[in-house]
Amino acid sequence: MHVVLKPYLLWQRWPNEQMKVVNLKQAILQAWKERWSDHQWAINIKKNFPKGQTWDYLNFAEALMEQAMIGPSPNPLILSYLRYAISSQMVSYSSVLTAISKFDGFSRELCVMSLLEIMDMFCHRLNCHGKAEDCIGLCRALLGVLVWLLQGCAFYCEKLRELGPSPSIEAALKACQERLHHLMSSTKIRALVHIARLEDQGSWGNAEQAVLKVSDGLVNVPNQTLRAKLEESLSLVKSIPLMLSVQSDPPVRASFPSVHAFIMLEGTMNLTGEIQPMVEQLMMIKRMQRIPAPLFILEIWKACFTGLIESPEGTEELKWTAFTFLKIPQVLLRLKKYPQSDKGQDFVEDVNAAFQFLLKLTPLLDKADQRCNCDCLSMLLQECNKLGLLSDPNTENLTSKRTEDREFSPRLKTAENANIQPNPGLILRAEPTVTNILKTVDADHSKSPEGLLGVLGHMLSGKSLDLLLAAAAATGKLKSFDVPFLAKSASVRALLFDISFLMLCHVVQTYGSEVILSDPSPSGETPFFETWLQTCMPEEGKTLNPDHPCFRPEPGKVESLVTLLNNSSEMKLVQVKWHEICLSTPAAILEVLNAWENGVLSVEAVQKITDNIKGKVCSMAICAVAWLVAHVRMLGRDEREKPQTMIRQLVTPNFAENTLQFYNERVIIMSSIMEHMCADVFQQTGAVLRAPVEGQEPIPYRNLLPAKEPIHKALSKQFQVVLRKGWVDSRALHLFESLLNMGGVFWFTNNLIKELLKETRQEWATRVVELLYSIFCLDTHQITLTLLGTILPNLLTDSAHWHSLSDPPGKALAKLSVWCALSSFSSHHKGPLSARQRKRQREDIEDYNSLFPLDDTQPSKLMRLLSSNEDEPAALSSPGDRSMSSSLSASQLHTVNMRDPLNRVLANLFLLVSSILGSKMAGPHTQFVQSFLEECVDCLEQGSRGSILQFMPFTMVSELVKLPALAKPRIILAITDLTLPLGRRVAAKAISAL
């Protein structure tokens, strides 16, 4: 007999939800009383059910479950209604899971078993294709049921403790454990719980508490197999917060050209650079390339020893020695404090392992020992031991092994070098000396400058100056080393002024002007030497104006100086203001030169004047040559003879019987400074400053470009040499820097990318990426802007270029682009540019504001390039718009500064990537986009969370999951910003649909 439920019981406009639920319960009870089959029940209930909705809003699943679980055992008929509702999708999976998680009668084992069986109906195919809110609901429900299962396990473990072994309780525990394991074995479900954990920290706290209770209760489980399975399930739960930090296996190889080349670059060009940016960059390379710590440290040492062996004699060799023995141990000390991603390995053990590997490279160590005339490795081990980077037993063990190896090495000591003191020892002794000198210099010497003069004078002898400067540079003391001299220039005696001036010129030529230039003082006064340096001193790549006002002081002072130079056979070291004399010298030289060219002065008279200039105060001669170099640059070849003759006269040392204090030492430094100043201007016409010394490069790394060869050929040729060799040496780095300065950032980057795209062999393409990445460190930021803002968009938007993006070069370019983007983004937002980067002349490589206008409602030039469909401007929606259809990105919700060129370039690159994914045209360019995003995720795994992917539009996620390689839960978690509610909704929607 059919009894039709009256419609008013279910569907009337009740004043509130509570009434609906009450009537729903009444309807369920009526159906049960009349013993309807599940089929009858469904037909009758659906007659009164509005189409197109689920019954979730009435808490239908919960109402059925409450009624089914009233007694000590479940009501089979009402449970059959629930099963039917699940099968016919009248209720959502999340509402059923939420209802289950509210049941707390674990003592009623039969009820618990029924609920677990209901879960079995759908837990193997959990998905949700509804709105983002529904997907977040599923995440929360899964977290809820996870807590419930853990609480069940904890309850039964406790019961086993109270009652002892019990087959029924053990069966219930086993049933809970099996469902827990089944759920947690699915990466997809763990990913959804991960999202819920971020949505609801409170519930996750409950899960952690339950995990602790189960862990404590494991001792009460007599069944060893069950206990082991429980432990396995718990470890899966504990792994949820760490889903994104799981590391893939590192590549199997022994050499890492990027680390090698980066160390070569720092040792050759950036000895004075701050340690922290270098540490950050090294860690970035280690993460991106997944280099195991011992091999990473080994590569650093290999590069140091190579640099030592290859460095030209003199200053460069001392710089490399200071870099290796003073700076790198400090870098390792910072790396030791850096949060390590390598689990289970102590950093000190990593350093020990690296040295064990290094010991096997006997030819490299022998060559370094021969070059430095000492046991380099043992000295290095002692330094590392002092800093706590090596334990005493390890230090002794490694030292004794090296001593044994040296017994069998070719004889390193020869008769001629037996008396030469090794540079490493000298550098290590120079480091504390620098501190003492700084104390002396800082003292007040205005009353008796003799003490200071003695200290500074002795620094000039032999290679003392270069030794001390190298030690100061490597330990970050060079800036404070120089500042005290600047203040004393005006009033201190001539000799003190002269020595200070020479030292500062030498520092600028050895380490770059940026180590001298101080921040503007509050008074607005710039020290004399800094003014002279910026306006008057010739440097590589710097053009001076010989008619600049700085070369034109008061006429009266110039006249008296010319008279003094012309008449006096000996300049008096009177108490004059020497900085004024220096500023008047160029104008005086111009007078002399004009007089000589007009026949008023003879060659002999000019020689007498130049001898007088360099006779006592060398700084005058330097100021004279500085102006002559600027003047000669402006002259034609035929007009250069007389000024070049004057330069030669001034450069030639005057070693007559001279009684002046420290004169010979000063003249040697003076000549070296002048030689550096004149190198470029003499090379222009092939003239020679002085006869070359056989077998000695006059100025290391200068004039490396081959004469009469187009620079694009020089670039290609040098890159091929580096590629065949497998690593970049100091000479190549200097040549690349010259080419970068000469050709400009776009030309340099574009031509090297062409070299990469030519490479069709997988292994070689990978090698090119590593080498180019390290070469690009010459100016990471500007090169990255060019690569991501101009070169990549050109390749991706022009179908004529797509063929060049096929693999392997396409995949290699994607890898290189991500590495550059991550490095630049990370360093750019962590602090100011390094001194070396500031030194390079900024060139306006592209007007980024016109390429990517700030008014985001206007389609930018890039977006017009992308789309032939002009009536669809790719406008970024406002941060207030939470609709899923917008191209909103996490960076907009985080209010990232979009006036920053790098941020604009990244945002527009991701818009371009998004438009390629959404287009109907597939090809190598879509493969490139896939490789680009895979590399982003790969690098993110290693711990550099949330950087460049925040510029990705959220709408892109739904396009990405259409690519099989990217349709994985962990990838979706990695590419969405889970710190944002919108990011979590996007991720939940994408993962639920997998």
Side-chain angles (χ1 to χ4, degrees), residues 68 80 146 223 255 258 302 326 337 357 384 397 470 500 503 515 542 587 653 768 851 875 909:
S80 72
L146 166 64
N223 183 329
S255 68
S258 291
K302 275 163 63 180
L326 293 177
K337 293 171 186 167
F357 290 138
C384 290
N397 175 32
S500 300
M503 281 185 175
V515 296
K542 177 167 143 189
V768 172
L851 184 60
L909 178 63

Side-chain angles (χ1 to χ4, degrees), residues 797-816:
T797 52
D798 184 351
S799 55
H801 292 311
W802 288 352
H803 69 280
S804 65
L805 294 174
S806 302
D807 287 346
K811 196 179 179 79
L813 177 58
K815 188 184 277 282
L816 178 65

Side-chain angles (χ1 to χ4, degrees), residues 453 456 460 492-502 573 578 616-619 660-663 666:
L453 188 59
L456 298 187
L460 299 181
V492 177
R493 295 207 332 240
L495 213 48
L496 203 45
F497 174 83
D498 203 37
I499 292 172
S500 300
F501 191 92
L502 288 166
L573 291 179
W578 281 100
K616 294 200 172 169
V617 181
C618 298
S619 35
L660 283 169
Q661 235 180 329
F662 308 119
Y663 182 74
R666 281 185 289 135

Side-chain angles (χ1 to χ4, degrees), residues 295-433:
L295 294 181
F296 172 65
I297 299 164
L298 170 67
E299 199 66 54
I300 293 174
W301 289 131
K302 275 163 63 180
C304 286
F305 278 98
T306 309
L308 268 179
I309 293 163
E310 288 193 337
S311 55
E313 276 183 36
T315 311
E316 293 299 317
E317 187 184 346
L318 289 176
K319 283 162 78 172
W320 262 106
T321 311
F323 181 74
T324 304
F325 289 86
L326 293 177
K327 191 165 186 176
I328 289 295
Q330 290 297 329
V331 167
L332 289 182
L333 197 57
R334 292 272 179 101
L335 286 170
K336 182 185 177 186
K337 293 171 186 167
Y338 207 97
Q340 296 295 319
S341 51
D342 296 21
K343 296 283 179 289
Q345 179 78 318
D346 179 26
F347 189 79
V348 173
E349 276 309 308
D350 291 331
V351 173
N352 180 44
F355 276 122
Q356 296 284 4
F357 290 138
L358 187 60
L359 271 175
K360 293 175 182 161
L361 305 177
T362 314
L364 179 75
L365 298 178
D366 287 351
K367 212 160 185 184
D369 287 359
Q370 215 163 349
R371 177 71 200 268
C372 298
N373 190 29
C374 65
D375 182 350
C376 290
L377 187 67
S378 297
M379 292 180 85
L380 210 45
L381 293 170
Q382 292 305 320
E383 284 308 295
C384 290
N385 177 248
K386 276 185 212 164
L387 294 172
L389 293 165
L390 271 178
S391 66
D392 292 342
N394 285 348
T395 308
E396 285 167 26
N397 175 32
L398 291 161
T399 308
S400 64
K401 279 186 183 173
R402 178 61 189 147
T403 309
E404 284 168 26
D405 290 345
R406 277 169 61 89
E407 291 297 314
F408 302 103
S409 298
R411 300 315 299 156
L412 301 174
K413 291 253 182 199
T414 58
E416 66 267 21
N417 70 8
N419 300 322
I420 300 171
Q421 283 195 299
N423 282 336
L426 291 172
I427 280 284
L428 291 169
R429 287 204 295 280
E431 195 264 332
T433 311

